[in-house]
């Protein structure tokens, strides 16, 4: 699935994936991660079912084989053009806030201006700022601030609210006075931490498990019996 998202990975080896992950020239596909994946409790079509498998594999590697995750899995996820895949990557990384190598990958995400154009990624960007901001160099902190400020101008409608939510996750002492003035007050709704889309309105952690027949089965055959485990 990930190689379909980024066809150039079809013949790429792990050694060249990392360099491709740094190429920000390709636009991201805004595939509505919040509504098409995280809020979808049914997952009744092949795409989210495949994404669920990607998430499970990434979570297992990140938890049990961090070197393999950093060397082989994370570069593929970074190189994918799907916003939903980016959300899965950051979700996995945020589950391990004490892993220095994972904070480095979160820093790469924060320095990708394309992510800030997709408001569905707000929860994960806020979490990444809280987790990785202290480990950023001074130059990288300045670069992230420039991206955040530009996101309000580049976005329509809720751009300024989006910017204020992101700035709220940065310690005020680390901000120049002019930017600190843009932070929301403690009583402002933007100051409240974002809720994970899969947990919103008290919805529990999603439970993986399917008993689904779909239109793809006549084309590719039945799903493997252990695909969803």
């Amino acid at each position: 699935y990930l190689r379909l998202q980024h066809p150039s990975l079809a013949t790429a080896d792990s050694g060249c994936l990392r360099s491709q992950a740094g190429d920000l020239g390709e636009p991201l596909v805004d595939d509505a991660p919040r509504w098409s994946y995280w809020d979808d409790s049914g997952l009744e079509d092949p795409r989210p079912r495949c994404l669920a498998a990607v998430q499970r594999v990434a979570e297992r590697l990140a938890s049990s084989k961090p070197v393999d995750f950093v060397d082989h899995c994370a570069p593929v996820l970074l190189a994918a053009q799907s916003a939903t895949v980016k959300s899965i990557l950051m979700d996995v990384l945020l589950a391990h806030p004490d892993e220095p190598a994972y904070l480095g990958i979160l820093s790469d995400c924060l320095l990708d201006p394309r992510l800030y154009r997709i408001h569905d990624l707000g929860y994960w960007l806020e979490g990444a700022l809280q987790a990785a901001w202290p480990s950023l160099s001074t130059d990288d902190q300045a670069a992230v601030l420039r991206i955040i400020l530009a996101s309000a101008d580049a976005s329509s409608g809720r751009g300024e609210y989006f910017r204020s939510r992101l700035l709220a996750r940065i310690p005020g002492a680390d901000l120049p006075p002019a930017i600190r003035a843009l932070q929301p007050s403690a009583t402002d709704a933007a100051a409240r931490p974002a809720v994970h889309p899969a947990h919103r309105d008290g919805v529990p952690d999603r439970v993986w498990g399917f008993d689904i027949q779909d239109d793809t089965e006549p084309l590719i055959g039945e799903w493997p019996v252990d695909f969803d485990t």
Side-chain angles (χ1 to χ4, degrees):
Y1 176 81
L2 288 172
R3 295 183 188 278
L4 288 175
Q5 290 288 326
H6 199 297
S8 63
L9 298 182
T11 58
D13 59 30
S14 60
C16 68
L17 290 178
R18 193 173 297 277
S19 64
Q20 291 189 33
D23 180 9
L24 305 183
E26 294 290 336
L28 283 185
V29 176
D30 185 356
D31 49 1
R34 181 171 190 147
W35 306 114
S36 68
Y37 181 66
W38 294 101
D39 278 359
D40 185 354
S41 59
L43 296 178
E44 294 181 353
D45 69 70
R47 180 183 176 278
R49 192 174 183 181
C50 289
L51 286 167
V54 170
Q55 184 180 358
R56 283 196 305 276
V57 171
E59 287 173 343
R60 288 171 185 167
L61 282 175
S63 297
S64 61
K65 298 181 178 180
V67 174
D68 284 347
F69 177 80
V70 171
D71 288 346
H72 302 294
C73 182
V76 179
L77 300 177
L78 279 169
Q81 292 170 246
S82 160
T84 300
V85 173
K86 301 292 190 184
S87 72
I88 290 172
L89 171 62
M90 289 189 284
D91 204 77
V92 171
L93 294 169
L94 288 170
H96 303 274
D98 298 325
E99 178 62 56
Y102 295 178
L103 290 179
I105 302 170
L106 279 175
S107 299
D108 290 340
C109 294
L110 288 174
L111 290 164
D112 185 346
R114 302 172 303 168
L115 302 184
Y116 297 78
R117 298 171 193 153
I118 301 175
H119 285 186
D120 270 10
L121 297 179
Y123 166 81
W124 294 279
L125 287 172
E126 290 182 37
L129 281 168
Q130 288 182 296
W133 177 265
S135 64
L136 292 175
S137 68
T138 301
D139 288 345
D140 283 347
Q141 287 182 349
V144 169
L145 285 178
R146 287 194 296 271
I147 295 171
I148 291 174
L149 295 177
S151 70
D153 298 328
S155 303
S156 59
R158 299 174 62 235
E160 291 187 2
Y161 178 74
F162 185 60
R163 178 190 65 193
S164 66
R165 289 199 62 87
L166 296 175
L167 290 176
R169 309 305 154 220
I170 301 174
D174 292 347
L175 299 175
I179 299 178
R180 192 182 312 138
L182 299 174
Q183 286 187 301
S185 66
T187 57
D188 194 305
R192 294 197 295 266
V195 177
H196 194 294
H199 304 165
R200 202 172 52 136
D201 299 327
V203 176
D205 292 335
R206 57 170 62 229
V207 177
W208 308 117
F210 305 86
D211 184 15
I212 299 170
Q213 290 188 344
D214 56 57
D215 293 340
T216 62
E217 290 191 354
L219 298 175
I220 63 175
E222 295 182 0
W223 293 83
V225 293
D226 58 350
F227 185 84
D228 302 310
T229 60

